[in-house]
Amino acid sequence: PQGLPSYLFIEMSGFMRFALPLGFLALLAVPVIVLMYLLKQKYEKKEIPSLYLWKKAFPETKSAQPWQKLRKNLLMFLQIAAAVLLAVSLAGPYIMGKMQVTDYVLALDCSMSMQAEDVGKSRFAAAKEAARDIVENAPAGSSFSLVPVTDKPYVALSASTDTQTVLRRLDALQPTAGGADWQTAKTLLQTEKNVLGGEILLFTDDYGQLDGLSALETVLNGGGENAALPLLSSREQEDGLLALTRVENYGKESCERTVTLYADGAAFDTVSVELAAGEAQDVTFSGIPLGTETLMARIFPEDVLTADDVLYQGVAGTAKRKALLVTEQNLFLEKALSVMGQLELYKTSPENAENLSGYSLYVFDGALPETLPEHGFLMQFGGGESGMRGFSGRARGVENKDIAGAENVSFDIAEGRTLSESWGRSLLRADGQTIAVYGERDGRKTAGFGFDLHDTDLPLTAGFPVLLHGLMEWYFPQNTADIAGAAAGEDIEPSLLPETEQAWIETPAGERAAIAPPFPPRTFSGDEPGIYRLVQADGEGNLTETAFGINGRNGLESSLLPMGEAAAYEAGETKTVSMGRNIRNGVLLLLLLVLAIEWRV
C-alpha cells in the first residue's frame, strides 16, 4: 500500500552486540592460518666445496625465519582479516538503538468474490501476497493482528510480534463460498486498533467496505466479466419434476452460456442462452423423473469466477406423516387437519388415548392422557378449567420466523387461560397475554393452545387454515425446508422426525457430523457447496435420508465490477521501541572487499 512510513533509527546507543555468539567459533581459523605460515621449509643436508658465499646466504636464511616471515606477509594478514569478518557476521552483529514503528491490524476479505481470477491470479492470492510483503518488510518490534472477514469474522491473531507465526496464520487462510459481515468486522477491527493503536490495512476487492472506519485499502479488482446462476428451484407435476434456474450476466459485455441440468448426478438436459450486459434469463427443465433426489445446474464455459457457475438442490419429498386426533367431537379441527398435505389423519376418543404409539403427531382436543406417547410431536387445545378467564377484544398472532403467516391471524375469544413462555415462544396473544405457545419441550416439538376452539370464532376465519398450515410446516418441513437453500457458512437448524434417536449430516467430502443426541439437535454450518444428506435413525435402526443443497452466495457475490469509492484515510499512530539494528550485511560487504584484495595480492 502507498503511504506506509519509512523506518529509521532515531537514536543509537551502546556498542556492537551479537545475537549468535557461537559464530565466533569461526575465529579458530585464525591460528590455523598463522600455523600454516609458521611451518618452516625443510632443507636437505648437502656437502659443499666452499663457504665463500656463506655470508650472502645468511640474510636469506634469516628472512626465512618464522617471525621475520610473518612480519612481512600481507597475504596472511588479509586472510586473517577475512576470517575475523566471517566470524563477526556469523555472530549476528547489531547495534542497539531506538526506532519508530507502526503496529498493524491486517484485515483480509475472504468472501466468494475474492476467488475471481482477474488479476493474473485469484484476488485472494494477490491479497495474501500483499499482506505478506507488509509483514516481511516491517521492522522487528511491529505487532500484528489478523482478522479474516467472512460471514462470521473473527480474530485469528491478536497483537503478535512473532513474524513467523503471523505468516503461518496468513498462509492458512482460504477464501470461502460465503459473503462478508462488514458490520461485525468493523467492530472487531476497531477493537484491535484500540488495543494496538496502529493502522488498519484492508485487503479486499472494492472500496468503502468499512463504512467510515479509517483503513488503508488495498483493492484487488480486475473488473472481470462474469455470469452466474443465482437461482435453482423445483416442484412436482403430473409428468415429473419441473426445475427452474436463472442465468444472469453481471458483466459489461454480452455473453453466451450453456446451462446443463444434472439429475442425481447424470446430465438430464442442456439449454443455451444469449445474455446482454446485465440481463437475466429464466431456464426451465420439465419431465424430470419423479423420485429424483438431487439436482445440480451448471453453466459453461467457465469464467473468472467459477464458484458461482453451479447450484445444488435436494428435491422435496412427498411422504405423508401419520397424525392421530384425540377428540370427542370437533368437526372444525378434524376437517382442517384432513386437508393438510403432510398428514394422513386418524381419529380416536379420549377413552382410548392411553398407551398410544406409532404416530408422528398427536393432536389432543381437551385434556392430555396420564401417560404421553414416547415418540411423536404434540399439539393440545384447551384442557382443564384452572386459570380460565374471559377476554375482551381480539386475539392476534405473533410474528415469528417459524410459523409462516401467524402474524395475519386475528379472531374473537370468549375465554381461555394464559400460558407460560418458559419452554417456548408466544404464538397467539389476547389482552397482552400469551394464549398459545410453541417450541421444543422435553426434546419434542410441542404447540399448546390455552382455549377450546368452540369458545372462539377462529375456525370461521381465513387465518385458521393458515395457522395450521404454518404449524404443519414447522412440524414436518418438506425436505427439511428450514435447511433447503442454505448458504455456505450459514448456521442451519435441521428439523428431525419425532421418532429419531440419532441424527447426523454427511458432507460432500464423505465426512459425518453428529447433530443429535442430545435434543434439540445442534446447529450445523456447511462451508463447502454441494449436496449434503441428513440421516436419521429411529430406535429400530431404520434410516431416513434427506438430501439438501448448500450453495455459495451466488448473485450477492457475483458482481465483480468495483462499485464503491475510496474512503478517507488517516495515518495511524507510531511507537518508539528499543531494538537492535542488524549490521550483518555491512560486515559481509566488507568481507567481500577483503577477499577481493586478497585475491588480487
Side-chain angles (χ1 to χ4, degrees), residues 174-236:
Q174 295 296 330
T176 70
D181 182 351
W182 290 106
Q183 288 302 314
T184 301
K186 181 179 176 180
T187 301
L188 293 178
L189 293 173
Q190 183 65 69
T191 301
E192 288 300 308
K193 183 177 180 179
N194 292 341
V195 172
L196 294 181
E199 295 187 357
I200 299 174
L201 303 184
L202 173 62
F203 303 87
T204 182
D205 58 1
D206 204 355
Y207 290 101
Q209 305 282 27
L210 293 180
D211 189 26
L213 179 62
S214 178
L216 188 59
E217 299 174 312
T218 298
V219 175
L220 297 311
N221 192 317
E225 296 290 312
N226 184 48
L229 291 171
L231 171 69
L232 175 62
S233 63
S234 63
R235 61 185 176 88
E236 188 175 315

Side-chain angles (χ1 to χ4, degrees), residues 154-194:
Y154 62 99
V155 178
L157 196 64
S158 180
S160 175
T161 58
D162 187 345
T163 300
Q164 294 305 313
T165 298
V166 177
L167 292 176
R168 283 196 299 271
R169 296 289 178 87
L170 190 60
D171 289 339
L173 296 181
Q174 295 296 330
T176 70
D181 182 351
W182 290 106
Q183 288 302 314
T184 301
K186 181 179 176 180
T187 301
L188 293 178
L189 293 173
Q190 183 65 69
T191 301
E192 288 300 308
K193 183 177 180 179
N194 292 341

